[in-house]
Amino acid sequence: MNSLNPRQREAVQYIDGPLLVLAGAGSGKTSVITRKIQYLIDTCGIKARHVAAVTFTNKAAREMRERVGKLLGSSRSEGLTISTFHQLGLNIIRDERKALGLKSGFSIFDGQDSHTLIRDLLIQEHGAEGDKAASIQQRISAWKNDRVLPEQAVAGATSPADMLCAQAYLRYNRALRAYNALDFDDLILLPTILFEESGDVLERWQHRLHYLLVDEYQDTNSSQYLLVRQLVGHRSGLTVVGDDDQSIYAWRGARPENLNQLADDFAGLKVIKLEQNYRSTSRILKAANTIIANNPHVLEKSLWSELGYGDPLRILQCSDEQSEADQVVAEILDHQLRKRSRLGDYAILYRGNHQSRLLELVLQQQQVPYHMSGGTSFFARNEVKDIMAYLRLLLNENDDNAFLRIANVPRRKLGTSTLEAVGEFANRQRCSLSQACRRISSEQIPEASLRRLQEFHQWVDRVRRSSDGTASVSAIRQMLRDMDYEGWLNQLSSSEDVAQRRMGNVNFLIDSLQRVMSDEQVTLDEAISRLVLRDLMEQQEEEKASDDSVQLMTLHASKGLEFPHVYIIGMEEKLLPHRASIDDGNIEEERRLAYVGITRAQQTLTMSLARKRRQYGETLNCEPSRFIAELPQDDLQWQGGTEEDEEANDERGQATLASLKSLFG
């Protein structure tokens, strides 16, 4: 406790009722959560199995588990739940699957699986409506987050477009039930419905959880808020930590007003503010406080620091986006050389992913290593997921999720109606989809569909038998040729080059399997398991290696991170704030996004803007972001803005690059 400041200590030790910890950026909220878990178990005598802490990302949950593990040790933390909201929901569903009408081994659809199912349903029932799948998928997700069921969506439809979305929602949910599957949003929605309809089940879970801690509470949606209320019940065992100024996920259903709603739903709610910042200089915090003060607040707070006033905030005015990229990279190299700092100390943040393209080119030209957050894992690529699904089905014919992914990849005229009928038959028979292929008859599905289904099932069986031995990799290569997967990629891809790259990923996967089997003398199933594990290990190594790389990421992706030196590029109207937010009148969230970017900086903060920028093939004049005018002007140091300044900046940048090149030979 001695390492905590008075407000943090008060938050840890308060257990007399529900508590809201209003935690500003960099104020040590994770320390409060982890120390409070230790306090509840060691001092208050609550068993670890009766304590749960939930957050939003696997990374945050993993870090929290590691910190609590160091505080408590493995024996005292046994049974403790630290997870994401969705993992907690999945645990509830697994325990209560019979009450929810689910078979064991139910599938969980990711975003791509859901998109494909919705698209196929639209094509089947409406012909050319398949191109609307993405927008309808977003609408269905929003309905689920707001706890609107399909029947309610249909009843509330007021236009043909609304009715199309609502009917698609109805068919989509019916197909999921037939497939014994859930999507990501169901992991929260279904537990809340179950708890509403079954008091016994709710009481059992309330008895399990005596104390609940929730991180990033401003990011909860309606379903998550209700789940918390249900689990806590009449107990006072609740601590939520949040910051309404860092709520930047309205587009995925987050409701910052949930923080304000707490006082109405939890009698005697105590509020403790964490305002001391341990990250940034006072000048950076002054800028953050000043800009966010333009948003309305129910709960006021003001960040402060003991780390000194710090350097002025710099505004770089550039002629165009090329000049912006050149100047930012040159400044990073110049500063890194003079200060002898690590490249990993520098982060370049932007509103949209498209802004990174020029930066990447300049960094590559100057041979500067960089790391882009949010890159696609090899195993997350669609073509790799397809072939992995085939491999999983070869190893385990009862893997329903794998069956559903590849039954119609490539197209075999096994449409959603056929697969739904098989799924409903499998549910009645309490068997897997593969087993249902052997048992189902023309009484359940049309003769032509039955024939195609049986041909597919028998073909998979033949491949399974031929791959069971030393020639297993050869059998898999033959399987790819039999189904002409390369031809399928050519049909799907935007160009021949894209199709070749995707097929190259498939060949790399098969070559890797063969190499693992040969080098490590293991069977095919063991080789697959080791490849998946290796992929995870490589991602962890990539995170460690990124210390020597300039960090590139969107403002959204930067939340929760901190860097000694931060550059926010594109501080222009229609970029930050974004054009869509201006049109929708949603400037407050854009201002919170700027606030998040500012509060990532520890020592220096530089913002850049261009006078002109090319978009959609034409050059447009740009206006400085309104957020620059909202900053404390006395703390800003402007650079550029005139042709002479631009020439001087370019000369300075070129001189810096030349000196660096000569230094490194």
Side-chain angles (χ1 to χ4, degrees):
M1 289 295 177
N2 292 335
S3 63
L4 303 178
N5 67 39
R7 295 286 77 76
Q8 291 174 326
R9 197 176 306 123
E10 182 185 8
V12 167
Q13 295 177 329
Y14 183 80
I15 58 168
D16 296 333
L19 172 66
L20 164 60
V21 181
L22 196 65
S27 62
K29 66 181 179 65
T30 305
S31 293
V32 168
I33 295 173
T34 53
R35 293 285 180 181
K36 186 151 193 172
I37 292 171
Q38 179 191 26
Y39 182 77
L40 291 167
I41 294 169
D42 281 354
T43 304
C44 303
I46 300 176
K47 301 286 188 186
R49 66 177 181 273
H50 294 313
V51 177
V54 291
T55 187
F56 278 84
T57 67
N58 290 317
K59 181 181 178 182
R62 183 171 66 247
E63 290 175 354
M64 202 178 291
R65 274 194 297 271
E66 290 172 356
R67 291 173 70 164
V68 171
K70 291 176 182 177
L71 291 172
L72 287 173
S74 57
S75 59
R76 301 207 311 284
S77 60
E78 187 175 353
L80 173 68
T81 297
I82 297 179
S83 71
T84 63
F85 262 105
H86 290 91
Q87 184 61 53
L88 176 62
L90 179 58
N91 293 342
I92 295 170
I93 290 170
R94 280 178 174 154
D95 281 7
E96 311 296 345
R97 64 174 179 78
K98 290 183 179 177
L100 290 165
L102 292 166
K103 293 186 302 181
S104 61
F106 56 84
S107 303
I108 299 173
F109 275 31
D110 63 16
Q112 185 59 46
D113 295 332
S114 295
H115 180 272
T116 301
L117 175 55
I118 292 169
R119 185 199 63 205
D120 290 349
L121 287 168
L122 288 170
I123 292 172
Q124 175 186 308
E125 301 198 358
H126 301 283
E129 300 284 357
D131 58 344
K132 297 181 179 177
S135 60
I136 290 176
Q137 181 181 7
Q138 291 177 348
R139 187 76 179 275
I140 291 172
S141 179
W143 270 325
K144 289 192 175 190
N145 288 335
D146 288 337
R147 304 189 73 259
V148 177
L149 300 181
E151 296 76 15
Q152 294 170 320
V154 170
T158 57
S159 68
D162 283 348
M163 184 55 73
L164 175 65
C165 291
Q167 291 287 356
Y169 182 17
L170 196 67
R171 286 287 292 110
Y172 169 69
N173 254 30
R174 191 186 308 156
L176 286 179
R177 284 198 299 273
Y179 295 166
N180 192 43
L182 310 172
D183 65 18
F184 207 56
D185 298 313
D186 287 329
L187 299 181
I188 307 297
L189 176 64
L190 291 186
T192 64
I193 293 173
L194 177 63
F195 288 160
E196 276 187 345
E197 295 176 349
S198 177
D200 291 345
V201 175
L202 175 58
E203 189 175 339
R204 186 163 66 247
W205 278 89
Q206 287 176 342
H207 182 70
R208 282 193 199 183
L209 297 181
H210 295 182
Y211 207 99
L212 181 64
L213 303 100
V214 186
D215 190 18
E216 304 286 10
Y217 204 73
Q218 75 281 349
D219 293 336
T220 54
N221 59 37
S222 299
S223 290
Q224 289 160 339
Y225 183 87
L226 177 59
L227 183 62
V228 169
R229 277 179 46 202
Q230 290 171 326
L231 289 171
V232 173
H234 298 298
R235 293 180 188 274
S236 59
L238 173 68
T239 291
V240 306
V241 181
D243 180 4
D244 52 347
D245 291 331
Q246 295 189 73
S247 182
I248 56 174
Y249 297 114
W251 48 275
R252 68 184 192 199
R255 292 167 50 89
E257 56 267 33
N258 284 349
L259 284 171
N260 305 331
Q261 185 68 28
L262 283 166
D264 296 331
D265 292 332
F266 293 94
L269 178 76
K270 184 178 179 66
V271 178
I272 296 175
K273 299 178 183 179
L274 302 185
E275 296 172 294
Q276 182 175 1
N277 175 285
Y278 294 92
R279 173 187 298 159
S280 308
T281 64
S282 295
R283 199 191 298 256
I284 291 170
L285 296 181
K286 177 183 173 185
N289 289 332
T290 304
I291 194 171
I292 205 63
N294 291 280
N295 274 2
H297 292 84
V298 173
L299 300 164
E300 298 286 349
K301 70 177 185 308
S302 181
L303 296 177
W304 58 276
S305 168
E306 294 179 340
L307 300 178
Y309 198 56
D311 295 339
L313 313 185
R314 298 174 62 238
I315 308 290
L316 304 183
Q317 299 181 94
C318 309
S319 56
D320 55 25
E321 68 269 34
Q322 183 66 60
S323 171
E324 179 183 54
D326 288 339
Q327 191 167 334
V328 166
V329 172
E331 292 222 352
I332 288 174
L333 289 173
D334 178 54
H335 191 273
Q336 189 245 349
L337 180 66
R338 287 187 288 105
K339 300 296 183 181
R340 296 290 191 267
S341 51
R342 301 174 306 122
L343 286 173
D345 290 344
Y346 300 85
I348 307 175
L349 312 182
Y350 35 82
R351 178 63 176 84
N353 279 307
H354 66 279
Q355 293 172 258
S356 69
R357 293 170 192 158
L358 270 178
L359 283 168
E360 288 189 83
L361 288 174
V362 175
L363 289 164
Q364 289 166 6
Q365 287 167 1
Q366 304 304 331
Q367 298 182 324
V368 178
Y370 66 92
H371 173 74
M372 279 192 70
S373 294
T376 304
S377 158
F378 177 74
F379 279 75
R381 300 177 189 277
N382 276 330
E383 61 273 15
V384 176
K385 288 169 70 176
D386 285 345
I387 304 310
M388 287 296 290
Y390 270 103
L391 297 176
R392 282 164 38 211
L393 194 61
L394 293 178
L395 297 173
N396 174 18
E397 72 160 10
N398 298 321
D399 189 330
D400 284 352
N401 203 14
F403 180 98
L404 287 171
R405 181 172 185 92
I406 52 87
N408 216 27
V409 174
R411 293 257 183 244
R412 297 184 176 89
K413 296 184 180 179
L414 295 174
T416 51
S417 296
T418 300
L419 294 176
E420 267 189 74
V422 175
E424 289 167 356
F425 179 81
N427 285 340
R428 290 194 299 272
Q429 295 285 316
R430 312 299 292 178
C431 66
S432 70
L433 294 172
S434 291
Q435 291 168 336
C437 291
R438 284 195 291 269
R439 302 179 191 178
I440 200 166
S441 69
S442 57
E443 295 178 8
Q444 284 84 32
I445 58 175
E447 190 71 45
S449 299
L450 177 63
R451 185 176 65 255
R452 287 191 290 267
L453 188 69
Q454 290 176 338
E455 286 173 356
F456 168 65
H457 180 256
Q458 290 163 5
W459 173 70
V460 172
D461 268 351
R462 286 197 301 274
V463 176
R464 184 179 292 114
R465 287 193 299 272
S466 62
S467 64
D468 186 17
T470 55
S472 54
V473 172
S474 299
I476 291 166
R477 293 190 195 280
Q478 185 60 48
M479 175 188 75
L480 293 172
R481 289 191 291 271
D482 288 347
M483 63 178 167
D484 190 20
Y485 189 77
E486 187 168 5
W488 168 246
L489 289 180
N490 277 313
Q491 290 179 44
L492 288 184
S493 302
S494 57
S495 69
E496 189 176 335
D497 286 345
V498 172
Q500 287 178 355
R501 281 201 301 273
R502 296 180 69 185
M503 194 62 203
N505 289 332
V506 172
N507 290 328
F508 179 79
L509 172 66
I510 307 305
D511 290 344
S512 299
L513 279 173
Q514 188 163 28
R515 188 165 55 251
V516 171
M517 292 175 68
S518 173
D519 293 350
E520 303 179 27
Q521 296 296 300
V522 294
T523 59
L524 179 64
D525 56 344
E526 180 63 21
I528 293 170
S529 300
R530 294 191 185 192
L531 276 184
V532 173
L533 178 62
R534 193 162 298 171
D535 180 62
L536 295 173
M537 296 292 287
E538 284 171 1
Q539 288 180 50
Q540 291 174 358
E541 289 301 319
E542 186 181 2
E543 288 179 12
K544 294 176 186 174
S546 65
D547 281 352
D548 295 323
S549 308
V550 175
Q551 306 296 299
L552 271 60
M553 67 190 71
T554 64
L555 287 160
H556 283 97
S558 74
K559 187 166 173 290
L561 303 177
E562 57 186 40
F563 306 95
H565 311 288
V566 168
Y567 289 77
I568 304 176
I569 66 170
M571 287 290 288
E572 301 150 26
E573 290 290 298
K574 300 182 181 179
L575 263 183
L576 184 67
H578 193 270
R579 179 196 304 268
S581 299
I582 295 171
D583 293 342
D584 295 340
N586 189 20
I587 299 299
E588 290 176 14
E589 177 147 336
E590 292 292 296
R591 187 175 285 112
R592 292 195 291 268
L593 199 54
Y595 173 86
V596 165
I598 291 169
T599 53
R600 298 312 94 195
Q602 295 172 295
Q603 299 170 24
T604 69
L605 173 64
T606 303
M607 292 162 277
S608 67
L609 60 141
R611 289 201 301 271
K612 294 182 179 180
R613 194 176 291 272
R614 285 185 63 81
Q615 288 185 350
Y616 311 113
E618 59 178 324
T619 301
L620 304 176
N621 292 322
C622 304
E623 295 179 28
S625 168
R626 68 190 71 189
F627 300 145
I628 292 179
E630 294 177 359
L631 293 168
Q633 299 301 301
D634 290 346
D635 292 305
L636 303 184
Q637 186 180 85
W638 293 77
Q639 184 175 321
T642 66
E643 290 186 11
E644 292 78 10
D645 285 334
E646 290 295 339
E647 290 175 6
N649 288 340
D650 290 341
E651 288 175 9
R652 177 173 174 268
Q654 293 303 320
T656 300
L657 292 176
S659 65
L660 287 171
K661 287 177 181 176
S662 64
L663 178 67
F664 294 113

